[in-house]
Each structure stands twice: as structure tokens, then as C-alpha cells.
Amino acid sequence: MNGLLKVEKLNVVYGHGEDAVHAVKDVSLEIAPGEIFGLVGESGCGKSSLGKAIIRLKIPASGKVVFKENDVSKFNRSELKTYRQEVQLVFQDPYGSLTPRMKVGNAIIDVLEVHRIGKNTAERRERVAELFEDVGLEPEWAWRYPHEFSGGQRQRICIARALALKPDLLVADEPVSALDVSVQADILELLEELRATRGLAFLFVSHDLAVVRNICARVAVMFNGEIVETGPVADVIDNPQHDYTRQLLDAVPSF
């Protein structure tokens, strides 16, 4: 497999000494270009900590994150800024991810301005319109406020904002768990479309094996900070090898 992202024996620790909490323990995984890779486990198992370490919101205690064959820990400030353009995060909560008093289009324009994308405001507004169309929203809606949108529409806006910098990888941290089941299907369909049309890769973080089965090619099961099982989704779900994976499957009413 030609890896876009490789995580090698990564450890994430909060605190020091006797109070230290080992949130991620010797985790290794690999994501190929254009792959939707699932990371599944219960709340508190270390999934979000792993995601934060990948995008350098949390510095690992040890281990490596390798992106396009380059060790992320060795990036200088300029290289790290470029890396954060190429690897974007989509948050769980579409309600809290947008500034209530800012029109949603301006939230995207701010991102473009920070990274000096577009020659002027007119070009950036045109880019916002394109991004809205890409995620299935009407371009003129970009000049509304967050409270004027449904939960699913807000998550589409958050995805549009993540796409603004033309990333190669999205770390999607429970991107549908705050949404109604009917809306979840629409967002999953959008993510699959982005994978197919843009070659975009995803680390899809979830606690829900049923959702993971619908969208991911491979999955890693995380328990107590460790990866306890990994493989093609169908193999892991149809023939689980670890007791914890079986417990997760037992918690799902029906596939």
C-alpha cells in the first residue's frame, strides 16, 4: 500500500508523573490516498486524542506521524502551515463549529485570507460559491447566519470550510453523530462523493460500527488507547477476533 499517512507507534500522554494519563498507546495505522479509513471505539478510548496528534493540535509523547513520506515532527513553521492545509479537521458539533454572529461565507473567506488564497474579495467570494455547490448548498446561502441552517446543512458548511484549502486528507471526528439518522445518510453520501470525485482520503472517527460499515474500506478498533483489531470492514464485522469488537457489535441493534 502506498500510504498517504502513516502513524507509527504513537503515544499521547496528558499530565506528568503519577497523574499521567496515557490516552494513546503504541498506535500504528496507514491510510492510502482516496481511502476512507474507519477508527471506531467508545467515548474516552483515545480516538479524538489520536486525531489531534495527527494534525498536531497535541504533540505526541513518542512515535511518528508520517505524511507523504515526511516526518511531521520535523516540519518547520512554514512546512507545518502547509501540512495543516493538506490535512483538515471536521468537528463533531456543527452547531459549535461556526461563529453565531458571522455569516457562514465570511467564515470561509477568513480561512482563504489567512492562507492567502485568492487575489481579492471578489475571487474569494467566487470560491465560496463553488464550495457551497460542491457540498450541495445554494451559493447565495453563504451570506446567511448559522442559526438559519439545519444541523445537516451546518455540517455541509463545515465540510465546505475544510475543503477550502484543497486538502488531501480530512480527519472527520464523529461527523454525523450529532445528526438525525436520515441526515446522517446524506452526509455519508457526500463524503463518499468527495472521495470518488476528488480522491480525498478520510480518517473517519466514530463510535458506531453500523455507520463505519456503510462508508469505510478498512477499520481499526480502538480500546483503552490501543488498536485491538484492524482490517477490511467486512472481515472485522463479520468475523471479529477481539472480545471488545464483539461487544461493540452486540451493542448495534441490527445492520
Side-chain angles (χ1 to χ4, degrees):
M1 179 185 296
N2 295 318
L4 173 68
L5 179 91
K6 296 180 183 178
V7 175
E8 301 176 0
K9 296 186 178 298
L10 202 72
N11 288 274
V12 175
V13 179
Y14 295 93
H16 303 279
E18 294 181 358
D19 297 326
V21 175
H22 293 257
V24 177
K25 306 172 187 175
D26 285 329
V27 166
S28 297
L29 56 85
E30 186 170 346
I31 303 174
E35 177 183 24
I36 301 181
F37 184 95
L39 180 65
V40 68
E42 294 175 306
S43 296
C45 72
K47 306 187 304 295
S48 293
S49 292
L50 176 59
K52 289 176 181 177
I54 287 172
I55 61 175
R56 303 299 285 184
L57 289 178
K58 172 67 178 175
I59 305 301
S62 61
K64 289 199 299 185
V65 176
V66 179
F67 184 71
K68 296 181 178 178
E69 305 300 328
N70 296 302
D71 185 346
V72 173
S73 68
K74 296 180 180 178
F75 285 171
N76 59 33
R77 182 174 297 180
S78 175
E79 290 168 332
L80 188 58
K81 183 178 180 180
T82 300
Y83 173 66
R84 285 178 171 156
Q85 288 181 234
E86 296 178 312
V87 180
Q88 286 284 296
L89 180 64
V90 176
F91 295 96
Q92 173 181 357
D93 180 14
Y95 300 94
S97 300
L98 298 166
T99 304
R101 296 181 181 180
M102 178 183 285
K103 292 178 181 178
V104 294
N106 287 332
I108 298 174
I109 284 177
D110 279 357
V111 172
L112 297 173
E113 287 179 342
V114 166
H115 292 273
R116 299 180 181 178
I117 296 173
K119 296 177 183 177
N120 51 46
T121 300
E123 258 192 31
R124 292 175 183 130
R125 287 175 72 96
E126 186 176 329
R127 176 71 177 136
V128 169
E130 292 171 356
L131 288 164
F132 264 58
E133 289 182 338
D134 289 345
V135 298
L137 297 174
E138 297 295 330
E140 60 268 23
W141 294 357
W143 314 112
R144 298 178 180 178
Y145 291 95
H147 73 267
E148 298 180 72
F149 295 95
S150 68
Q153 289 170 335
R154 291 188 210 191
Q155 193 60 291
R156 287 175 185 268
I157 293 164
C158 292
I159 292 168
R161 182 174 57 184
L163 294 175
L165 302 179
K166 299 182 178 179
D168 294 311
L169 173 68
L170 286 188
V171 177
D173 188 1
E174 298 271 10
V176 298
S177 64
L179 305 175
D180 293 339
V181 173
S182 59
V183 180
Q184 288 184 11
D186 292 337
I187 298 298
L188 295 177
E189 185 178 342
L190 171 62
L191 298 183
E192 171 55 32
E193 181 183 324
L194 293 172
R195 184 206 65 78
T197 58
R198 295 172 177 246
L200 194 59
F202 292 83
L203 174 60
F204 187 90
V205 180
S206 180
H207 66 277
D208 191 334
L209 268 172
V211 170
V212 166
R213 184 174 197 173
N214 281 331
I215 193 170
C216 299
R218 294 184 301 129
V219 63
V221 180
M222 197 168 189
F223 174 64
N224 196 26
E226 300 178 84
I227 299 294
V228 296
E229 187 163 357
T230 188
V233 167
D235 292 351
V236 171
I237 289 177
D238 294 338
N239 188 28
Q241 299 299 304
H242 195 275
D243 287 342
Y244 178 69
T245 309
R246 297 188 188 100
Q247 291 173 23
L248 285 179
L249 288 165
D250 289 342
V252 178
S254 172
F255 283 122

